[in-house]
Amino acid sequence: LIKAMQPKLTICIVHNANYEHMDKLLAISPRMELVTLSPHVASALARNTGRKVDWMLAVYPVPLEDHCTKVPADKFLGMCLRGFAMQGKFSNLRRNYTSMWRQISQKLDEVSDPQIGRVFHMHVLGKGPDRLALPPSLAQYVTIHRRLQYRAFYTVIARTVALVPSLASAKYFTEKFSST
């Protein structure tokens, strides 16, 4: 289809510098520009393909809720920002859920304290078979969000303090990209 359309330029966003079918991907279009979402993947992909590779930072603006524009600074955490998020396909090959559950379990005394509890919560967003193995003792501290629509997905993330990568492979630091 791309060959029939004869685009002036085809831009391909690559997440994994070691994509096994890269030769087929590059053959799709004579004017294929490769782009990644991080500098380390761009460097690895350039080494692997012998081509110039750029990287870009994608941003999705999520508006602040109206009431949060009037919240005093000392109340913002807890009222407008709460907890953390892990996101992506539910796969132990991508994220280390076991380690995350262990770390939360080790801090249950602190997390169950009302002062800390008002700001702590873990949101897990994604899709796929349930391979999370969430211990029942953590159920009140973790919300699983499945297959959210785009805006709802980013709104949940924007309302947390931080995204937790909890990557299951060191390759994410050298040649792969996580959407986290």
Side-chain angles (χ1 to χ4, degrees):
L1 179 62
I2 292 176
K3 286 181 182 178
M5 292 171 53
Q6 298 179 339
K8 188 173 192 170
L9 176 66
T10 304
I11 299 173
C12 180
I13 301 173
V14 180
H15 287 251
N16 185 346
N18 289 325
Y19 178 58
E20 63 184 289
H21 302 291
M22 187 59 67
D23 55 337
K24 292 178 185 174
L25 180 67
L26 294 172
I28 290 174
S29 175
R31 291 253 312 132
M32 171 89 62
E33 294 288 331
L34 300 175
V35 177
T36 71
L37 298 173
S38 69
H40 71 277
V41 176
S43 295
L45 186 58
R47 276 192 312 274
N48 293 349
T49 62
R51 297 174 65 142
K52 178 183 176 287
V53 179
D54 290 313
W55 74 277
M56 66 176 193
L57 178 63
V59 176
Y60 182 78
V62 177
L64 192 62
E65 292 175 333
D66 286 339
H67 78 276
C68 289
T69 61
K70 300 170 185 81
V71 171
D74 64 329
K75 304 277 189 227
F76 196 79
L77 185 61
M79 290 183 72
C80 298
L81 291 180
R82 182 172 184 247
F84 303 90
M86 288 175 59
Q87 66 82 39
K89 186 176 181 182
F90 297 149
S91 168
N92 292 328
L93 298 174
R94 295 175 185 226
R95 270 154 286 291
N96 191 340
Y97 299 106
T98 304
S99 175
M100 181 56 59
W101 307 151
R102 184 178 61 255
Q103 290 175 61
I104 296 172
S105 293
Q106 290 170 346
K107 300 289 185 178
L108 267 185
D109 287 345
E110 294 172 47
V111 171
S112 59
D113 177 276
Q115 279 300 97
I116 295 172
R118 76 177 186 83
V119 297
F120 179 83
H121 196 80
M122 177 60 72
H123 296 273
V124 179
L125 303 90
K127 63 181 181 178
D130 189 344
R131 298 184 188 119
L132 304 175
L134 177 66
S137 61
L138 300 183
Q140 66 181 328
Y141 306 107
V142 179
T143 301
I144 309 297
H145 303 271
R146 296 181 187 282
R147 295 190 160 280
L148 294 180
Q149 294 295 317
Y150 202 77
R151 181 177 290 273
F153 177 87
Y154 284 103
T155 297
V156 169
I157 291 172
R159 305 297 185 258
T160 63
V161 176
L163 277 170
V164 179
S166 195
L167 304 172
S169 166
K171 288 186 177 187
Y172 284 101
F173 298 106
T174 58
E175 56 201 50
K176 293 176 83 173
F177 181 80
S178 168
S179 53
T180 299

